[in-house]
């Protein structure tokens, strides 16, 4: 088990390029594999999560070549996947297992999806239930992985109302809908990231979007294309917060995805008073990109609007660090989803903030954080092998006069393999041991 020692630092500068978007990287492999023709992907995230998806589709007979962040996928068409020789190991990737369940529920062959210790504790009922409604046959370990999917089922289209706003569940149902008889529609209670819908359209598949409802008709085909993966706003968020809280900071994050279903973190930081501007906005492959400049900021505590919660769900660990350095109290509610991520992110962040002397109160669906100053740590921070927890507390070193020790940072490799190197290049002082 590796750990970070994040030593005190107070300045941040430079033009930084963070890795490719994880959500889009996953989907490029899945949909490129199901397309007719050759899909070329540039900017692919070389993190373990996205590579788990890539290896799984190779195991199902798809020829995929990778040179660094350039990937060439020789699509086999919607019905061209083959039975894997053994269980598909998806490591730590919740996106892989939830989205692939939708695709695999409709195949002619049986298969089993397994993951690491962390993934094996995460709830899958949210995808199992709608898939069973469509006619899928899936066994689980009391609603958790491993998942055993029985092939040869005929799926029927359904109209599904999401009980909780979740892009993974929405995408799972829509991907199963590619194979289903008739129309499949998903209605969401609040907007969630729409990369699946955008990419389906980019590959020539008709998706009808009407306000908060997405519909498609099964039986179509996907046509291969080129996909450029923009920089991941979830990874960029650590540097946005870092620059806001650092005593001296002026950085520009290049080519970041600013898809409107993902920009909650920008909106929240701006409400807190962040000195943050967007430039060079452009559209590539149906996704919006911009360069984001952030300078040192005087942040203030806020009541985070619940409408922004689904648009910033992965960035909250970093936002909690910003709240800790703000003047006054920050209150988050309506974020129960955070309790079923790679860890219970509300409780795990609260525990770590307490070690750094930050007053906080855990709520059933959120947290209250009283802004202040980081004190000498009273212990080692346990990340519970959650990459976003590890990176968030590393960023706290920009406002702490003492080294911060963070345990279980191995899973940073899943989403941001060069995090330590890029952080140190910009002015931080993180050692991995």
């Amino acid at each position: 088990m590796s750990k970070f020692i994040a030593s005190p630092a107070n300045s941040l500068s430079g033009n930084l390029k963070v890795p490719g978007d994880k959500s889009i990287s996953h989907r490029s492999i899945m949909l490129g594999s199901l397309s007719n023709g050759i899909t070329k992907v540039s900017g692919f995230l070389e993190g373990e999560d996205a590579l788990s998806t890539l290896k799984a589709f190779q195991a199902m007979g798809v020829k995929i070549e990778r040179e660094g962040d350039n990937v060439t996928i020789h699509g086999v068409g919607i019905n061209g996947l083959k039975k894997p020789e053994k269980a598909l190991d998806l490591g730590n990737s919740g996106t892989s297992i939830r989205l692939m369940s939708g695709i695999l529920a409709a195949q002619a062959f049986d298969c089993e999806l397994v993951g690491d210790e962390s993934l094996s504790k995460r709830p899958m009922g949210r995808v199992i239930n709608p898939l069973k409604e469509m006619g899928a046959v899936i066994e689980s370990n009391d609603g958790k992985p491993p998942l055993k999917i029985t092939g040869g089922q005929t799926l029927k289209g359904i109209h599904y109302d999401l009980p909780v706003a979740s892009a993974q569940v929405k995408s799972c149902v829509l991907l199963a809908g590619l194979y289903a008889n008739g129309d499949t529609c998903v209605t969401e209670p609040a907007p969630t990231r729409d990369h699946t819908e955008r990419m389906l359209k980019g590959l020539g598949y008709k998706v009808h979007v009407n306000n908060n409802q997405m519909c498609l008709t099964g039986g179509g085909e996907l046509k291969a294309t080129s996909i450029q993966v923009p920089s991941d706003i979830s990874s960029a968020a650590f540097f946005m917060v870092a620059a806001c809280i650092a005593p001296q900071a002026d950085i520009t994050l290049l080519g970041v995805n600013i898809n409107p279903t993902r920009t909650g973190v920008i909106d929240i930081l701006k409400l807190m008073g962040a000195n943050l501007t967007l430039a060079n906005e452009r559209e590539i492959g149906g996704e919006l990109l911009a360069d984001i400049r952030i300078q040192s900021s005087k942040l203030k505590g806020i009541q985070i609007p619940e409408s922004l919660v689904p648009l910033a769900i992965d960035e909250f660990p970093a936002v909690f660090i910003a709240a800790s350095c703000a003047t006054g109290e920050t209150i988050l509610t309506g974020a129960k989803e955070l309790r079923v991520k790679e860890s219970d992110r509300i409780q795990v962040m609260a525990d770590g903030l307490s070690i750094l002397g930050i007053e906080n109160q855990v709520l059933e669906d959120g947290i209250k954080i009283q802004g202040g100053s980081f004190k000498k740590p009273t212990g080692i921070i346990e990340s519970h092998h959650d990459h976003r927890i590890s990176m968030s507390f590393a960023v706290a070193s920009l406002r702490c006069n003492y080294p911060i020790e963070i345990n279980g940072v191995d899973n940073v490799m899943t989403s941001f393999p060069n995090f330590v190197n890029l952080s140190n290049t910009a002015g931080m002082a993180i050692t991995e041991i």
Side-chain angles (χ1 to χ4, degrees), residues 64-363:
I64 305 176
E65 300 151 328
R66 182 170 74 89
E67 285 185 28
D69 65 357
N70 292 308
V71 178
T72 303
I73 306 162
H74 299 261
V76 296
I78 285 269
N79 296 306
L81 296 178
K82 294 188 168 62
K83 180 180 172 64
E85 291 179 5
K86 57 184 181 182
L88 298 173
D89 186 349
L90 301 173
N92 188 241
S93 180
T95 304
S96 301
I97 196 166
R98 292 197 179 109
L99 269 62
M100 286 173 59
S101 296
I103 295 168
L104 295 173
Q107 302 303 317
F109 51 81
D110 298 351
C111 64
E112 184 176 7
L113 304 178
V114 300
D116 68 7
E117 184 185 352
S118 165
L119 189 64
S120 300
K121 293 175 183 170
R122 294 170 69 183
M124 297 295 145
R126 54 182 56 193
V127 294
I128 294 171
N129 294 337
L131 291 176
K132 283 187 171 177
E133 218 178 294
M134 297 175 82
V137 176
I138 304 175
E139 287 177 47
S140 68
N141 177 23
D142 196 22
K144 298 181 175 67
L147 302 182
K148 292 182 179 175
I149 302 174
T150 304
Q153 313 303 317
T154 301
L155 301 189
K156 63 178 190 295
I158 59 169
H159 286 238
Y160 190 66
D161 291 334
L162 284 177
V164 176
S166 167
Q168 290 182 357
V169 181
K170 171 179 69 173
S171 297
C172 168
V173 175
L174 289 175
L175 292 173
L178 298 175
Y179 296 89
N181 293 328
D183 295 341
T184 296
C185 294
V186 180
T187 304
E188 52 187 4
T192 64
R193 57 188 68 175
D194 62 354
H195 304 302
T196 300
E197 301 95 295
R198 284 174 184 258
M199 196 175 289
L200 283 169
K201 288 177 182 175
L203 293 165
Y205 208 102
K206 281 189 180 165
V207 182
H208 303 282
V209 179
N210 183 12
N211 294 325
N212 60 339
Q213 186 180 67
M214 285 57 62
C215 295
L216 53 76
T217 305
E221 68 167 323
L222 298 163
K223 301 181 186 74
T225 187
S226 293
I227 297 170
Q228 181 179 335
V229 181
S231 286
D232 195 328
I233 195 168
S234 294
S235 296
F238 300 106
F239 287 97
M240 290 184 214
V241 169
C244 284
I245 70 172
Q248 299 169 300
D250 187 350
I251 64 168
T252 299
L253 300 166
L254 303 171
V256 179
N257 183 4
I258 55 160
N259 177 313
T261 64
R262 295 286 299 280
T263 50
V265 65
I266 291 176
D267 298 331
I268 290 167
L269 289 175
K270 281 188 167 178
L271 288 172
M272 296 177 77
N275 191 349
L276 185 156
T277 52
L278 304 185
N280 192 18
E281 295 186 36
R282 58 234 190 243
E283 184 175 325
I284 297 177
E287 292 284 355
L288 299 170
L289 283 70
D291 300 335
I292 305 175
R293 183 183 182 190
I294 315 99
Q295 295 164 280
S296 302
S297 310
K298 287 187 172 140
L299 300 180
K300 62 181 187 294
I302 60 166
Q303 170 91 43
I304 296 172
E306 287 199 13
S307 60
L308 293 179
V309 170
L311 310 183
I313 199 69
D314 281 339
E315 293 75 52
F316 277 116
V319 170
F320 291 178
I321 299 297
S324 302
C325 298
T327 303
E329 187 176 56
T330 296
I331 303 171
L332 170 67
T333 55
K336 202 178 253 186
E337 178 80 359
L338 286 174
R339 291 195 174 273
V340 292
K341 290 289 186 178
E342 281 84 333
S343 65
D344 177 346
R345 285 184 173 157
I346 292 173
Q347 190 61 56
V348 173
M349 284 300 297
D351 293 344
L353 292 178
S354 296
I355 286 171
L356 294 179
I358 297 296
E359 285 182 39
N360 64 82
Q361 180 189 346
V362 171
L363 311 172

